[in-house]
Amino acid sequence: MDSSAPPPSDPRPRHRDRHGRGMRGPIAPPQVPLAVSRADAFDDLVRDAADRLERRWPQLADVEFAVQEVPWPQDSAADGDAVPLGRLVGADKGRPSRIVVYRRPVEIRAKSRDERALLVHEVVVEQVAELLGLSPENVDPKYGED
């Protein structure tokens, strides 16, 4: 048989599914909020809070901001029974300081999207205040306001 010959044509038309409509598309286009996962939305909240503070405090440009699902057991053991919402990891061996926000504990404490955004901002402000050795009110004058 000659390998360059085209395969015999199938007399039946090919359909992707039994109704002939083809593959289904996404539920919503990527720019619509439905297509953003809760984790991605939370990352955006942390990034927005960090960006707001970096405009006021340029020395935060070298600080890394990160999101972790839950704190490691050794992180929460230092605080007793309370589950921390965030943590400051100081600079070490050439690594910059790092502020970590714990997603699940924050989500559990916040009832709505607006509450979550406010709580994330407060956690970031508290950790930045600890890093800079200032009070949270000095870091962000709107700290604690609803």
Side-chain angles (χ1 to χ4, degrees):
M1 181 176 214
D2 183 16
S3 62
S4 63
S9 62
D10 189 3
R12 297 177 296 157
R14 287 189 69 181
H15 297 290
R16 292 185 182 172
D17 66 7
R18 67 186 186 149
H19 297 290
R21 289 179 272 196
M23 300 296 285
R24 292 186 179 193
I27 293 175
Q31 66 271 17
V32 175
L34 289 174
V36 177
S37 70
R38 285 187 350 197
D40 290 341
F42 193 87
D43 291 349
D44 290 342
L45 291 176
V46 172
R47 194 173 305 114
D48 291 344
D51 289 344
R52 278 177 51 187
L53 292 175
E54 281 180 10
R55 280 185 244 126
R56 182 176 165 99
W57 302 95
Q59 61 265 44
L60 295 178
D62 297 334
V63 176
E64 291 181 355
F65 291 87
V67 174
Q68 189 174 320
E69 287 293 310
V70 293
W72 293 98
Q74 65 267 21
D75 295 342
S76 57
D79 294 339
D81 293 333
V83 176
L85 302 179
R87 178 172 173 232
L88 170 65
V89 180
D92 185 36
K93 299 179 185 172
R95 288 185 167 194
S97 296
R98 181 180 180 129
I99 293 176
V100 180
V101 180
Y102 300 116
R103 184 173 76 89
R104 297 297 298 247
V106 169
E107 286 180 340
I108 289 170
R109 285 175 178 79
K111 305 278 188 265
S112 68
R113 187 178 356 178
D114 292 337
E115 274 185 37
R116 189 176 314 122
L118 181 64
L119 186 55
V120 165
H121 182 70
E122 287 183 357
V123 169
V124 171
V125 168
E126 290 168 1
Q127 299 307 316
V128 167
E130 185 178 337
L131 175 69
L132 299 176
L134 301 170
S135 70
E137 292 81 13
N138 287 341
V139 172
D140 184 8
K142 295 180 181 180
Y143 174 79
E145 295 178 7
D146 289 331

